[in-house]
Amino acid sequence: MKSTLKKIGRAYNIFEEKLLVYSLIVTVIVIFIQIIMRYVFKNSLFGSEEFARYVFMWQIYLGASIGFREDKHITITLLTDHLSGTAKKLCAILADLIMLAFCVFIIYFGWVFLAKVASMNMVTPAMRIPFIFVYSSLPVSCVVIFIRISLMMFKKIKELFHGSADGEDAALPAAAQALEGGEN
């Protein structure tokens, strides 16, 4: 069971990273072609700006998920720099709880908004893509972020009560290690 969860987590990590890299490559190519078309041929590539804008929205929110996995988001450490041990860990867990609450808020109201958008059959102006696909980037990404933060918080709680043996993640479930980018 653990190896299956690890495989699923690693497969998702690889999928997410490749999706972001390939979408960035495609976006750069489309924008480059748009520039050439506009300034050399005096004609515009239909829908290219709209395509780049909406793909960029997905890249931002899925990229935020990777930022949480790698623990690379900007943090304000004014308070936690003066704490040590248990107090510092409790503060980190509290910050995770606040972020989880924010994710739940965004997920809930994101889905409510998507229901309204779906009921109005709204489409993008140029490419006629249903807006539900565009706007679903935020709640979908927040679901992934929620899972990542939950797993990281689980790890912090285990470390708080059981300690950490030289950074080993023995108490952390396999899925958490995989989604956090842990090796083997």
Side-chain angles (χ1 to χ4, degrees):
M1 179 69 171
K2 283 185 180 181
S3 72
T4 304
L5 291 175
K6 274 187 171 183
K7 286 179 184 177
I8 292 170
R10 286 191 183 133
Y12 176 76
N13 287 340
I14 291 168
F15 168 76
E16 186 177 52
E17 290 171 4
K18 288 187 181 215
L19 177 67
L20 288 171
V21 168
Y22 292 134
S23 67
L24 181 62
I25 290 168
V26 169
T27 304
V28 168
I29 290 170
V30 167
I31 295 301
F32 178 75
I33 292 170
Q34 166 66 2
I35 292 168
I36 299 300
M37 293 287 293
R38 180 174 288 162
Y39 292 108
V40 175
F41 298 107
K42 306 292 184 216
N43 198 354
S44 182
L45 183 62
F46 178 76
S48 62
E49 290 128 4
E50 188 176 271
F51 170 80
R53 181 181 322 122
Y54 299 140
V55 169
F56 188 59
M57 286 173 59
W58 274 93
Q59 290 170 336
I60 289 168
Y61 295 120
L62 286 178
S65 167
I66 290 176
F68 279 104
R69 182 187 79 202
E70 302 292 328
D71 199 21
K72 299 289 184 185
H73 284 287
I74 296 172
T75 57
I76 300 172
T77 60
L78 180 67
L79 174 65
T80 57
D81 285 345
H82 301 290
L83 300 174
S84 63
T86 304
K88 193 172 207 167
K89 290 177 183 178
L90 286 172
C91 192
I93 292 168
L94 177 63
D96 287 345
L97 286 170
I98 292 168
M99 193 62 205
L100 287 174
F102 179 74
C103 283
V104 167
F105 178 84
I106 295 295
I107 292 165
Y108 175 75
F109 286 105
W111 291 118
V112 168
F113 179 71
L114 286 178
K116 288 179 183 176
V117 169
S119 70
M120 292 187 273
N121 294 319
M122 295 172 57
V123 294
T124 61
M127 298 181 70
R128 311 299 293 169
I129 299 169
F131 265 115
I132 194 164
F133 296 121
V134 175
Y135 292 141
S136 63
S137 62
L138 185 57
V140 167
S141 297
C142 277
V143 167
V144 176
I145 291 169
F146 181 90
I147 292 168
R148 290 196 191 278
I149 293 173
S150 297
L151 295 172
M152 289 170 32
M153 189 176 72
F154 180 76
K155 177 181 176 182
K156 291 173 189 173
I157 291 170
K158 285 287 192 181
E159 287 176 358
L160 182 66
F161 290 108
H162 301 293
S164 177
D166 297 319
E168 284 185 22
D169 293 335
L172 188 61
Q177 291 180 32
L179 282 174
E180 286 183 0
E183 299 298 320
N184 292 351

